[in-house]
Amino acid sequence: MQVAGFEALVTLPRRFYEYRMQRSGLIFHLLLALTSALVFYLIYFIFLHTPTAQPESGGFAQKIFYFHVPSAYAMYLSGVVCFAASAAFLVRPTDARNAWAQAGAECAVLFSLLVLTSGPLWAKKAWGVYWTWDPRLTTLLLSALIYAAIVVVRTFVGDGEPERRFVAAIGVLGTVNLPIIHYSVQKWGGNHPTVITGRGGGLRSVEMREALWLGFATMTLLTIMLLWARARSAWLRSRVDSLEERMLDAGLEL
């Protein structure tokens, strides 16, 4: 009876962990299904229900706006996650905080690439050139390079404690550039339009405003899903590496 009771006590935490993993997986797949449905509906709504903008705003190419602006918002959101997790890691290092900082930097790189790809396509139609050293574009490129540097350091330099602290410091300092991107148009001007506030033409119809808010909702869910998936993967990898090190220290073969 004592042996059976002891075995039940040992297996209880494992069963609870398996239950949590199963529940987490179910929530993730539900989120994945909802996000996928919203992405397809967003594309359908933008191209079939949203009116075409005036020629001076880019005409049909202006529809890129509904992906471009939410992608920039997703980059900000990912950068904030990277900042918060990096700052928390510097205060008290844990594998989970390091994983979220890593996920934030990687997602920031992904969404900044979406912004830097979609923006020039719209700019070519509206401005006649793919790229100009506009203050907002330049500061956005700087942020993309900062987060890319974090990813490169993590990939090729190593994942030891000093390296983690170094990239966490970059993650904290690099976030300072995010508000500069947002207010660069107001402070330094440039060609970049401010469509939402109206100076760049405004959203003249209800369908345009609905498409924009639908884009924000879709990108928010997509960001949450990607951050969650990448942070979970990075955390599990760190746990596996820690277990391998303990086994090697104990003289056990893998």
Side-chain angles (χ1 to χ4, degrees):
M1 291 293 294
Q2 291 181 352
V3 175
F6 177 76
E7 291 179 352
L9 184 63
V10 171
T11 57
L12 183 60
R14 179 172 59 84
R15 291 178 179 177
F16 178 72
Y17 177 77
E18 291 175 352
Y19 167 74
R20 288 187 59 185
M21 293 297 290
Q22 291 175 358
R23 186 181 64 176
S24 176
L26 176 61
I27 296 175
F28 177 80
H29 284 90
L30 289 175
L31 180 62
L32 176 61
L34 178 59
T35 304
S36 301
L38 273 179
V39 168
F40 285 109
Y41 181 72
L42 175 65
I43 296 173
Y44 164 79
F45 189 86
I46 289 174
F47 288 102
L48 296 182
H49 287 277
T50 306
T52 303
Q54 298 296 326
E56 60 270 17
S57 298
F60 186 80
Q62 186 268 345
K63 292 180 182 290
I64 297 175
F65 168 82
Y66 307 110
F67 301 98
H68 177 73
V69 175
S71 295
Y73 158 76
M75 187 201 71
Y76 291 151
L77 183 59
S78 300
V80 170
V81 171
C82 179
F83 166 78
S86 297
F89 180 85
L90 291 175
V91 174
R92 187 170 66 88
T94 65
D95 288 339
R97 293 175 179 181
N98 177 69
W100 278 102
Q102 180 178 348
E106 292 176 351
C107 290
V109 171
L110 171 64
F111 288 114
S112 64
L113 289 177
L114 290 177
V115 177
L116 291 172
T117 301
S118 60
L121 295 176
W122 182 17
K124 177 61 177 178
K125 184 66 176 180
W127 302 342
V129 293
Y130 286 107
W131 181 268
T132 179
W133 291 103
D134 178 88
R136 175 165 288 181
L137 296 179
T138 304
T139 51
L140 176 64
L141 178 61
L142 177 59
S143 280
L145 292 175
I146 291 173
Y147 291 116
I150 295 176
V151 175
V152 170
V153 171
R154 286 184 177 275
T155 303
F156 296 102
V157 175
D159 195 37
E161 190 69 17
E163 291 81 5
R164 288 185 175 187
R165 286 189 172 275
F166 177 72
V167 293
I170 298 178
V172 172
L173 296 176
T175 311
V176 176
N177 194 53
L178 294 182
I180 297 177
I181 298 173
H182 183 73
Y183 292 106
S184 59
V185 175
Q186 301 176 16
K187 299 298 181 182
W188 302 314
N191 296 328
H192 203 285
T194 53
V195 177
I196 298 178
T197 57
R199 189 166 65 87
L203 300 176
R204 58 185 177 83
S205 71
V206 176
E207 291 81 5
M208 286 181 170
R209 293 190 289 271
E210 289 177 349
L212 178 61
W213 287 111
L214 182 61
F216 279 128
T218 302
M219 284 299 176
T220 299
L221 286 178
L222 181 60
T223 305
I224 293 173
M225 186 192 70
L226 292 177
L227 286 170
W228 185 2
R230 192 64 193 98
R232 183 181 181 185
S233 175
W235 179 78
L236 289 174
R237 180 60 188 173
S238 66
R239 302 299 293 176
V240 170
D241 291 341
S242 177
L243 180 59
E244 289 179 351
E245 291 178 1
R246 292 180 182 178
M247 293 178 65
L248 290 175
D249 292 339
L252 300 176
E253 295 184 358
L254 299 178

